[in-house]
């Protein structure tokens, strides 16, 4: 039998002595302690451990994306790691159920001891946000204080330097822009796609015109089709797209958006399976983080109502603002607006379909 002192032991390998000795309720010990404080500490520590694992996965994805050539194997590795991050996020959302077994009255037994500590000061949470691409000027800020004012010394420097570095968002954008599929020999994707949309809308018009409907109903439907036509035209116009970026309505560059559209439309092509799965995993992550923000905000509402947070924010009101505003990959989710059914999808010329090599990774 392995002895704790002489050879590698479960307890040593996992540094359990340190981890299990790291819960120090401020309300005291024994009978005078607030019973629920132990849960409060352990759940936060558990979150921080999972944040560490998320950072481990995201940092590796960022490193792989920084390489000049991203081959298919690496896209596969990244997809696997993003999938893991999404599973962890699902667990983090679920864990709030455990915390909600504590009532607002229970919380008040020890809340006074916490001030001014707050989840606001979670360095790892901020690193995750910044590494994904959340920039200081797009954050919902309360009062005059930037979010990094909560940190000092090395911790602050680390956050500030992360803000300056490439994020997953910026690396993915560059990668999409590099994909040379948009204008391949004999196949100009954007003009073919535009023709396919016109085809689809013309067919819609003729179905409406020959349908057994009143003139009023027909006019309503024709107006809708016309609105859709304007929408597609707007999206395909690079100048309009760039103006939308300037006005903060969209983030992803025109070229990257068109590549993401191509990947989504031709996801059935074997070479595009993995890029498609990867883009989908980013949308999934955005939704999961946003769901966590929403669930955390609801829990705060139950726990504190409209009380001010220990970190000094307006509490529930502040958290509510971050749910949508801090999303990063909305442009990728919105690609679905541009989907057309397979029957209208322009056929890729046989030579292109068969020679789609892995040169998109160059
Ligand atoms: C009783 C339970 C909890 C309450 C009442 C609560 C309350 C709050 C409040 C009011 C804020 C806004 C900042 C402030 O003024 O303090 C906040 C932010 C935050 N909390 Fe919690 N929290 C709880 C549990 C948790 C847990 C379990 C985590 C897990 C790590 C967590 C992580 C965070 C993070 C990361 C922020 C910053 C969010 C942002 O700025 O977008 N909180 N919390």
């Amino acid at each position: 039998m392995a002895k704790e002192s002489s050879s590698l032991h479960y307890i040593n390998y996992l540094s359990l002595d340190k981890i299990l000795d790291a819960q120090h309720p401020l309300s005291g010990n024994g009978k005078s302690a607030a019973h629920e404080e132990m849960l409060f500490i352990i759940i936060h520590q558990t979150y921080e451990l999972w944040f560490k694992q998320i950072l481990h996965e995201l940092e590796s994805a960022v490193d792989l994306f920084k390489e000049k050539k991203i081959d298919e194997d690496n896209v596969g590795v990244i997809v696997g790691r993003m999938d893991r991050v999404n599973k962890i996020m699902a667990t983090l959302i679920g864990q709030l159920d455990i915390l909600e077994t504590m009532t607002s009255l229970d919380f008040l037994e020890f809340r006074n001891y916490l001030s001014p500590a707050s989840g606001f000061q979670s360095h790892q949470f901020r690193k995750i946000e910044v590494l994904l691409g959340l920039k200081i000027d797009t954050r919902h800020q309360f009062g005059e204080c930037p979010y990094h004012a909560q940190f000092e010394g090395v911790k602050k420097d680390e956050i500030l330097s992360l803000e300056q570095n490439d994020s997953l968002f910026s690396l993915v954008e560059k990668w999409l822009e590099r994909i040379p599929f948009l204008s391949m020999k004999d196949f100009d994707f954007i003009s073919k796609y535009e023709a396919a949309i016109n085809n689809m809308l013309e067919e819609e018009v003729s179905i409406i015109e020959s349908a057994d409907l009143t003139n009023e109903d027909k006019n309503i439907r024709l107006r809708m089709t016309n609105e859709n036509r304007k929408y597609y035209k707007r999206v395909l116009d690079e100048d309009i797209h760039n103006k939308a970026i300037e006005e903060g309505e969209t983030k992803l560059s025109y070229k990257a958006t068109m590549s993401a559209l191509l990947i989504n439309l031709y996801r059935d092509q074997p070479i595009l399976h993995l890029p498609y799965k990867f883009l989908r995993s980013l949308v999934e992550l955005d939704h999961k983080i946003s769901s966590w923000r929403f669930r955390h905000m609801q829990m705060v509402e139950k726990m504190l109502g409209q009380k001010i947070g220990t970190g000094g924010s307006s509490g529930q009101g502040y958290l509510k603002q971050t749910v949508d505003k801090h999303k990063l990959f909305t442009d990728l989710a919105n690609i679905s607006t541009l989907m057309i059914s397979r029957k209208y999808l322009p056929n890729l010329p046989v030579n292109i379909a068969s020679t789609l090599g892995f040169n998109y990774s160059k």
Side-chain angles (χ1 to χ4, degrees):
M1 194 192 294
K3 281 200 191 123
E4 203 185 313
S5 54
S6 58
S7 60
L8 188 62
H9 193 280
Y10 179 82
I11 294 175
N12 302 336
Y13 178 62
L14 298 173
S15 298
L16 286 184
D17 285 342
K18 279 192 199 154
I19 294 181
L20 298 177
D21 192 28
Q23 294 72 39
H24 309 291
L26 291 176
S27 62
N29 291 304
K31 282 206 169 127
S32 65
H35 178 83
E36 311 291 302
E37 195 180 353
M38 184 60 91
L39 171 69
F40 188 80
I41 293 173
I42 287 185
I43 203 138
H44 278 86
Q45 289 177 337
T46 313
Y47 269 100
E48 289 293 337
L49 283 175
W50 281 127
F51 288 164
K52 187 166 184 175
Q53 185 67 36
I54 291 177
L55 281 167
H56 185 61
E57 306 301 348
L58 291 182
E59 278 161 0
S60 77
V62 164
D63 283 347
L64 289 172
F65 262 106
K66 276 184 183 158
E67 287 179 17
K68 281 208 177 76
K69 186 175 184 307
I70 306 161
D71 61 31
E72 207 207 9
D73 287 352
N74 280 348
V75 180
V77 169
I78 294 168
V79 167
R81 293 185 184 164
M82 295 304 292
D83 189 37
R84 179 177 296 153
V85 170
N86 279 323
K87 295 274 189 301
I88 297 173
M89 276 311 303
T91 299
L92 295 190
I93 297 166
Q95 276 186 192
L96 288 170
D97 288 343
I98 307 177
L99 192 53
E100 282 187 332
T101 59
M102 175 175 88
T103 68
S104 134
L105 206 57
D106 298 329
F107 184 41
L108 289 177
E109 304 257 310
F110 63 92
R111 183 173 188 243
N112 279 349
Y113 296 105
L114 307 178
S115 190
S118 159
F120 219 52
Q121 295 153 350
S122 168
H123 190 246
Q124 294 199 100
F125 186 76
R126 293 304 180 217
K127 275 175 68 177
I128 293 172
E129 290 181 326
V130 179
L131 201 60
L132 286 174
L134 186 61
K135 294 286 174 206
I136 189 156
D137 49 353
T138 52
R139 278 178 186 273
H140 177 70
Q141 190 178 304
F142 77 91
E144 296 299 311
C145 265
Y147 77 99
H148 52 66
Q150 301 282 344
F151 308 107
E152 289 174 349
V154 183
K155 289 234 175 319
K156 186 167 189 164
D157 294 346
E158 202 184 340
I159 289 283
L160 292 178
S161 106
L162 261 188
E163 279 261 355
Q164 303 306 318
N165 288 346
D166 277 328
S167 64
L168 193 59
F169 180 95
S170 67
L171 290 165
V172 169
E173 183 176 54
K174 283 183 203 153
W175 171 70
L176 285 169
E177 286 170 352
R178 286 201 300 271
I179 295 180
F181 295 163
L182 291 179
S183 192
M184 293 169 282
K185 196 167 168 280
D186 303 331
F187 187 75
D188 175 12
F189 165 63
I190 297 174
S191 62
K192 294 270 180 205
Y193 172 68
E194 205 165 1
I197 288 168
N198 288 334
N199 220 344
M200 177 184 79
L201 295 174
E202 288 319 316
E203 206 171 304
E204 255 177 57
V205 169
S206 72
I207 291 171
I208 296 169
E209 280 171 347
S210 58
D212 186 14
L213 293 168
T214 64
N215 277 345
E216 198 183 343
D217 278 347
K218 279 187 186 175
N219 283 338
I220 293 173
R221 278 155 207 241
L222 288 172
R223 243 195 344 264
M224 276 161 53
T225 307
N226 213 20
E227 283 305 311
N228 282 341
R229 195 188 298 277
K230 279 194 218 150
Y231 176 79
Y232 284 116
K233 241 192 154 89
R234 209 171 57 226
V235 171
L236 293 172
D237 185 316
E238 189 167 357
D239 291 336
I240 296 179
H241 187 97
N242 290 340
K243 199 154 181 280
I245 291 183
E246 270 170 38
E247 288 168 4
E249 288 163 17
T250 189
K251 288 196 191 88
L252 200 63
S253 74
Y254 176 76
K255 205 166 171 208
T257 307
M258 291 301 120
S259 290
L261 172 62
L262 182 137
I263 290 172
N264 272 272
L265 286 171
Y266 292 99
R267 66 184 74 170
D268 296 341
Q269 293 288 329
I271 193 174
L272 296 179
H273 280 172
L274 279 175
Y276 167 68
K277 275 182 138 183
F278 173 61
L279 296 185
R280 209 173 57 164
S281 74
L282 292 174
V283 174
E284 188 60 31
L285 179 58
D286 221 18
H287 286 179
K288 288 250 167 10
I289 295 179
S290 176
S291 300
W292 182 82
R293 290 187 197 278
F294 186 74
R295 283 282 286 106
H296 171 260
M297 177 273 289
Q298 281 187 323
M299 181 201 62
V300 169
E301 193 173 35
K302 278 188 235 170
M303 216 63 88
L304 296 178
Q306 297 301 314
K307 286 193 181 91
I308 301 282
T310 44
S313 81
S314 60
Q316 185 263 352
Y318 158 77
L319 295 168
K320 199 172 184 175
Q321 291 295 323
T322 65
V323 175
D324 260 340
K325 195 161 178 198
H326 291 186
K327 275 195 192 153
L328 289 161
F329 296 101
T330 310
D331 296 329
L332 291 180
N334 284 345
I335 294 283
S336 294
T337 329
L338 303 173
M339 287 292 104
I340 51 176
S341 74
R342 284 184 176 88
K343 82 171 185 173
Y344 296 107
L345 200 59
N347 283 330
L348 288 174
V350 180
N351 62 331
I352 288 177
S354 62
T355 58
L356 272 181
F358 291 101
N359 54 351
Y360 68 85
S361 57
K362 297 242 166 61

